[in-house]
Amino acid sequence: MRNTMRILGLTLTAVVAASGCSQKEEAAKAASGQAPDNRPVTVVAELSAAYKETFDRYLVPVLQSKLPHITLEYQDQKPSLQEKIVAGTVPDIVLPNGNLRPILDLNLQYDLTELIKKYNFDLTKLDPSLIKSIQAYGTKGEIYALPGDRSVKVLLYNKDIFNKFNVPYPKDGMSWEEVIALAKRLTRTDNGVNYYGLNPSSNGFLKSQLQLPVFDKDDKAQLHTQGWQLLASTWKAIYDIPGNNATGAARDLFSKDRNTAMLINNSSWLLRNSLPDFNWDYVTMPTFDNKLVSDLFGSSFSITSGSKVKDAAFQVISLYYSDEVQTAISKDAALVIGSTVPDIQKQYGVNVAAAQGKNVKADFGGQAATKVVEPFDYVANPILNEAFNAIAAGKTDINTALREAEEKVNLKVLEEKARLK
């Protein structure tokens, strides 16, 4: 009898222990967002209007089919994340646009490395330069986001202007010197119309191409370097072309006024908005001697540190990168996909009339730079833009502009450090 009771007691203990383990496992799954037995779970994502449209069109139907227990809800990007923290309404997925700094400043960053391992997510299917750009925000190779697309800059050109002045079209892989030489031949006035050879749109990609840091290890700006001199002289050479000083919205000058021969921009806005009477094409953006095109880092998906449904959120993101979803996006040229799968890239724009006959491979061409990430880059960037605008307008020389910018940056960094104490 005593042995029977002992066995019964051991059995009950085992059952209770097993039950406890099961409850703990279920609780752990629930806490991490892994829906036990595919129980319903809701993932909230803060997305731009463009990405909401992309998700609804390409991702949600697949999500409903393959992961029907996960419901995706959206939040607007306003109010701000800081206000949402106060209100207790922080989403599970956020979409930083080309800069993870706001996520880190609010301590919302979450390293996806363990989830990548857990779900056997294949990082090799994504552009490695984008992953490196994201890892630049961490100190130990953390992956705080996954890239939503390639933010590609290319050289768009108006074939009619080239034909009019009998100038050969640009080619993939040209240098800045070669493109500036073309711009000189195309900048002129003809029958009362001013034609502009090259509109670079921005100077930011030049810094990216040259992989130029602003600061030394002590957070002191160092702009008196050969790299910054090269960047500034290239920028100045574009605006020193007599008559190449167009004012107005760059895209409108190129596609509506059609008086701009070449424009550094992305191609997707023209592919998605067909202009049948516009004779244009594009090639890879010009490069320096290092042959790097600008970094591709744009929109990315981050899972917030306080999310209670991290596993489910990662499953949603993972599904976005499935071959099925990426192929559909690629065919419609809805975004320049981050996928490195050749068969998916080859289908880019096949459903888009405006893409037919265009050099769409340029969107995947060239070796991309890695984004230069520094602790106080957000302080330096507005000052650098001001300096380069002054150089372009001929208001100051290169050495003076860089010296004054360096002084202003160093002063602002000291102010920022004092504010952050």
Side-chain angles (χ1 to χ4, degrees):
M1 181 67 175
R2 184 176 298 174
N3 287 338
T4 303
M5 290 298 294
R6 183 173 180 274
I7 293 171
L8 179 59
L10 288 172
T11 302
L12 288 171
T13 301
V15 170
V16 171
S19 175
C21 287
S22 177
Q23 289 174 0
K24 287 180 181 178
E25 289 172 0
E26 294 294 298
K29 287 182 179 180
S32 69
Q34 184 178 1
D37 303 320
N38 288 343
R39 294 175 191 169
V41 59
T42 297
V43 173
V44 179
E46 180 194 277
L47 303 177
S48 65
Y51 262 96
K52 285 180 187 176
E53 182 179 342
T54 299
F55 269 42
D56 280 341
R57 184 170 183 178
Y58 303 102
L59 175 63
V60 171
V62 181
L63 181 67
Q64 291 172 341
S65 172
K66 296 190 174 182
L67 298 171
H69 64 286
I70 299 178
T71 299
L72 183 64
E73 292 184 357
Y74 299 132
Q75 268 188 7
D76 291 333
Q77 293 184 305
K78 292 183 179 180
S80 69
L81 279 174
Q82 190 166 6
E83 291 170 310
K84 288 175 181 176
I85 290 174
V86 175
T89 58
V90 177
D92 304 300
I93 297 173
V94 292
L95 185 78
N97 187 19
N99 183 11
L100 298 184
R101 186 80 60 207
I103 305 298
L104 274 68
D105 289 346
L106 295 172
N107 201 30
L108 291 177
Q109 74 275 11
Y110 178 74
D111 186 4
L112 301 176
T113 302
E114 289 304 314
L115 288 173
I116 288 169
K117 292 178 182 176
K118 179 176 180 178
Y119 288 97
N120 295 316
F121 183 84
D122 188 0
L123 278 179
T124 65
K125 284 189 173 184
L126 295 178
D127 191 300
S129 74
L130 289 169
I131 301 301
K132 288 179 182 177
S133 293
I134 289 168
Q135 288 177 314
Y137 283 93
T139 58
K140 299 177 181 178
E142 296 93 340
I143 301 175
Y144 291 132
L146 290 175
D149 60 83
R150 284 178 169 89
S151 181
V152 185
K153 296 291 187 297
V154 293
L155 181 69
L156 304 162
Y157 64 96
N158 184 326
K159 286 186 171 183
D160 287 338
I161 295 178
F162 278 82
N163 294 339
K164 181 179 180 69
F165 300 122
N166 197 30
V167 176
Y169 299 152
K171 300 176 181 179
D172 288 327
M174 295 185 77
S175 68
W176 275 106
E177 290 83 357
E178 290 171 324
V179 169
I180 290 171
L182 284 181
K184 289 178 179 178
R185 297 175 63 182
L186 293 159
T187 304
R188 61 178 77 187
T189 300
D190 185 78
N191 291 327
V193 178
N194 294 326
Y195 290 94
Y196 308 101
L198 173 64
N199 189 329
S201 300
S202 165
N203 62 70
F205 54 80
L206 293 170
K207 172 190 170 186
S208 166
Q209 283 186 294
L210 287 170
Q211 301 282 262
L212 287 178
V214 174
F215 302 96
D216 64 14
K217 60 183 178 61
D218 297 316
D219 298 328
K220 293 290 182 64
Q222 299 291 330
L223 301 180
H224 284 83
T225 65
Q226 288 185 344
W228 282 100
Q229 286 283 337
L230 174 58
L231 189 156
S233 61
T234 301
W235 186 250
K236 185 174 187 297
I238 295 170
Y239 288 96
D240 275 355
I241 299 172
N244 192 45
N245 56 350
T247 58
R251 288 183 175 183
D252 286 346
L253 291 171
F254 182 72
S255 65
K256 295 181 180 179
D257 296 350
R258 301 183 186 178
N259 57 7
T260 300
M262 295 179 288
L263 170 68
I264 302 289
N265 213 282
N266 63 62
S267 65
S268 55
W269 62 283
L270 277 174
L271 294 179
R272 292 195 302 265
N273 301 285
S274 180
L275 298 171
D277 63 332
F278 188 26
N279 190 18
W280 67 281
D281 206 342
Y282 60 106
V283 296
T284 55
M285 71 177 298
T287 63
F288 295 100
D289 288 344
N290 61 13
K291 305 299 182 184
L292 295 177
V293 298
S294 62
D295 77 81
L296 308 177
F297 188 47
S299 298
S300 58
F301 303 116
S302 293
I303 295 177
T304 54
S305 55
S307 171
K308 302 299 183 184
V309 292
K310 292 185 177 72
D311 278 73
F314 188 79
Q315 287 176 295
V316 171
I317 294 173
S318 297
L319 199 58
Y320 172 82
Y321 297 107
S322 66
D323 288 356
E324 179 180 357
V325 173
Q326 290 285 292
T327 298
I329 292 173
S330 183
K331 286 181 175 180
D332 290 347
L335 296 165
V336 183
I337 52 168
S339 175
T340 57
V341 179
D343 286 344
I344 297 178
Q345 290 185 0
K346 287 176 183 177
Q347 297 184 73
Y348 184 66
V350 297
N351 291 343
V352 180
Q356 306 314 307
K358 297 294 188 294
N359 183 32
V360 293
K361 70 179 189 302
D363 279 313
F364 305 97
Q367 181 180 350
T370 300
K371 186 176 177 66
V372 178
V373 178
E374 299 177 285
F376 294 100
D377 50 14
Y378 64 97
V379 172
N381 288 337
I383 296 171
L384 292 171
N385 287 338
E386 181 182 330
F388 276 80
N389 287 338
I391 291 171
K395 295 179 180 179
T396 186
D397 63 272
I398 289 174
N399 288 328
T400 301
L402 293 179
R403 186 189 73 250
E404 291 180 350
E406 186 177 283
E407 293 170 355
K408 289 178 182 178
V409 170
N410 285 330
L411 182 60
K412 281 291 184 182
V413 168
L414 289 176
E415 293 175 358
E416 184 67 359
K417 286 185 172 181
R419 185 186 71 83
L420 293 173
K421 282 184 178 179

